Amino acid sequence: MVLSTGTISLKAPEGSKAIVVKNLYLSCDPYMRSRMTKSDKPSYVPSYNPGSAITGFGVAKVVDSDHSKFKEGDLVWGMTGWEEYSLITNPDTLFKIENTDVPLSYYTGLLGMPGMTAYVGFYEVCSPKKGENVFISAASGAVGQLVGQFAKLMGCYVVGSAGSKEKVNLLKSKFGFDAAFNYKEEQDLDAALKSYFPEGIDIYFENVGGKMLDAVLLNMKLHGRIAVCGMISQYNLEKPEGVHNLLNVIGKRIRMEGFLVFDYFHLYPKFLDLIIPNIKEGKITYVEDTAEGLHNAPGALIGLFTGRNVGKQVVVVAPVE
């Protein structure tokens, strides 16, 4: 990634139905890594074009509009460029921000794509019931921290794994998890999971893959559900690790389902109805890790893959006026 300087017209071309936005916050998300690989295999997101600005989810302010749905001054979230200003030619994919009495940066995470991911993965894919045992990997990240809080609101027993003592403490003290552990300190993940789930796991929210998934499969209960959201441990490997314990899916009648948040964006109003009151009542909290300025954006994105961030990684591009 390189930082470059260019020019842009701050007027949307007439008849284009496009808008010009000033970017305020950018979201660093693990899926962006897959867009940096040229592959012949079909993917749910296209690869980035070398030499062009990379794109990702962000929060922006409309500077000029040729679209009937948007006007100058509107605040929006959705897919935008990693640049100070962007010309967005398909603004129908953007969401207009109506609730402005919460931090605007939340629309990169809690109230944006990661929040929706947590919501649909837990409620729609996992079909949770009160009192069930829930395990979440990468639990202090943008998605995991929210899944855990949703599960606690439902009356579930919740355990999370994370990669540092600080993150483990955060899960228990800030997000209300019943227990948490540092996977880097566990020599035997199977034994660790058995100690936290002596009766087994009903729901596993999968964010990491690899050895953790293998250990979880040994500890799932009959008719357990696994929502496969991501597998961050595999994204930078030349050769992905194999999974050895899949036979458990048969005997335990486990339902393991991958999902993409894009298929569920029609549920966004329903999601807001659930989450906004819980934020205002202090029942849901959120932790962000902020990088200041576009020049710090590449380092912030790379940091996701070494666990450097604590909470949702956000890049502040411009102050909100």
Side-chain angles (χ1 to χ4, degrees):
M1 287 178 276
V2 293
L3 200 63
S4 62
T5 305
T7 58
I8 183 175
S9 168
L10 296 182
K11 294 291 287 180
E14 212 170 308
S16 65
K17 294 188 177 176
I19 63 173
V20 176
V21 298
K22 179 180 183 179
N23 292 311
L24 306 175
Y25 299 99
L26 298 174
S27 175
C28 293
D29 297 299
Y31 81 90
M32 298 171 76
R33 172 64 182 84
S34 65
R35 301 189 68 184
M36 296 178 174
T37 305
K38 273 284 181 212
S39 174
D40 298 331
K41 296 171 187 169
S43 172
Y44 65 93
V45 280
S47 298
Y48 290 131
N49 277 324
S52 300
I54 66 174
T55 56
F57 285 92
V59 174
K61 189 174 189 177
V62 177
V63 175
D64 191 54
S65 174
D66 190 58
H67 195 286
S68 57
K69 186 175 157 188
F70 301 98
K71 63 180 188 303
E72 183 185 342
D74 281 350
L75 292 163
V76 296
W77 75 268
M79 199 60 78
T80 188
W82 276 37
E83 52 198 356
E84 291 178 310
Y85 292 88
S86 294
L87 173 68
I88 297 177
T89 55
N90 55 338
D92 285 321
T93 61
L94 299 175
F95 294 87
K96 201 184 285 192
I97 294 173
E98 309 288 357
N99 294 283
T100 54
D101 52 352
V102 292
L104 275 181
S105 59
Y106 276 13
Y107 288 91
T108 66
L110 176 59
L111 297 174
M113 183 274 287
M116 270 295 288
T117 301
Y119 173 76
V120 300
F122 185 62
Y123 290 108
E124 299 292 323
V125 177
C126 291
S127 307
K129 301 179 195 74
K130 184 178 179 180
E132 288 194 311
N133 296 336
V134 178
F135 177 54
I136 304 152
S137 54
S140 69
V143 176
Q145 59 175 290
L146 191 50
V147 175
Q149 292 178 84
F150 283 151
K152 287 308 298 176
L153 285 174
M154 276 213 72
C156 296
Y157 168 72
V158 183
V159 179
S161 66
S164 72
K165 187 178 178 182
E166 179 189 7
K167 292 176 182 179
V168 166
N169 289 338
L170 196 65
L171 292 175
K172 293 187 285 189
S173 62
K174 181 101 176 164
F175 302 131
F177 282 54
D178 294 290
F181 64 90
N182 182 350
Y183 70 90
K184 292 176 182 174
E185 293 177 352
E186 299 294 341
Q187 298 299 313
D188 185 341
L189 290 172
D190 175 30
L193 289 172
K194 279 184 170 52
S195 70
Y196 290 106
F197 296 100
E199 295 176 7
I201 300 165
D202 293 293
I203 289 173
Y204 173 44
F205 200 98
E206 164 70 301
N207 288 311
V208 300
K211 293 179 179 67
M212 185 65 83
L213 174 59
D214 247 348
V216 166
L217 286 166
L218 295 173
N219 288 279
M220 293 297 291
K221 288 172 78 170
L222 288 182
H223 304 290
R225 287 88 72 207
I226 300 176
V228 185
C229 175
M231 292 191 174
I232 197 169
S233 71
Q234 306 299 298
Y235 296 166
N236 289 326
L237 300 181
E238 295 257 329
K239 188 178 179 185
E241 294 173 309
V243 180
H244 304 280
N245 295 324
L246 277 173
L247 198 59
N248 288 275
V249 173
I250 305 166
K252 295 181 178 182
R253 282 83 95 197
I254 297 165
R255 181 164 61 81
M256 188 172 175
E257 183 177 342
F259 72 100
L260 291 176
V261 68
F262 313 120
D263 297 334
Y264 295 89
F265 273 147
H266 62 283
L267 297 177
Y268 187 63
K270 187 179 166 188
F271 163 67
L272 287 183
D273 288 344
L274 169 80
I275 201 163
I276 294 282
N278 279 303
I279 295 170
K280 290 180 177 174
E281 290 168 26
K283 291 179 180 174
I284 282 182
T285 186
Y286 205 64
V287 170
E288 296 178 321
D289 195 320
T290 304
E292 297 282 342
L294 263 181
H295 60 288
N296 284 319
L301 180 60
I302 292 165
L304 293 179
F305 300 96
T306 55
R308 197 178 70 192
N309 59 302
V310 178
K312 168 65 193 165
Q313 184 65 66
V314 183
V315 177
V316 182
V317 182
V320 181
E321 295 159 0

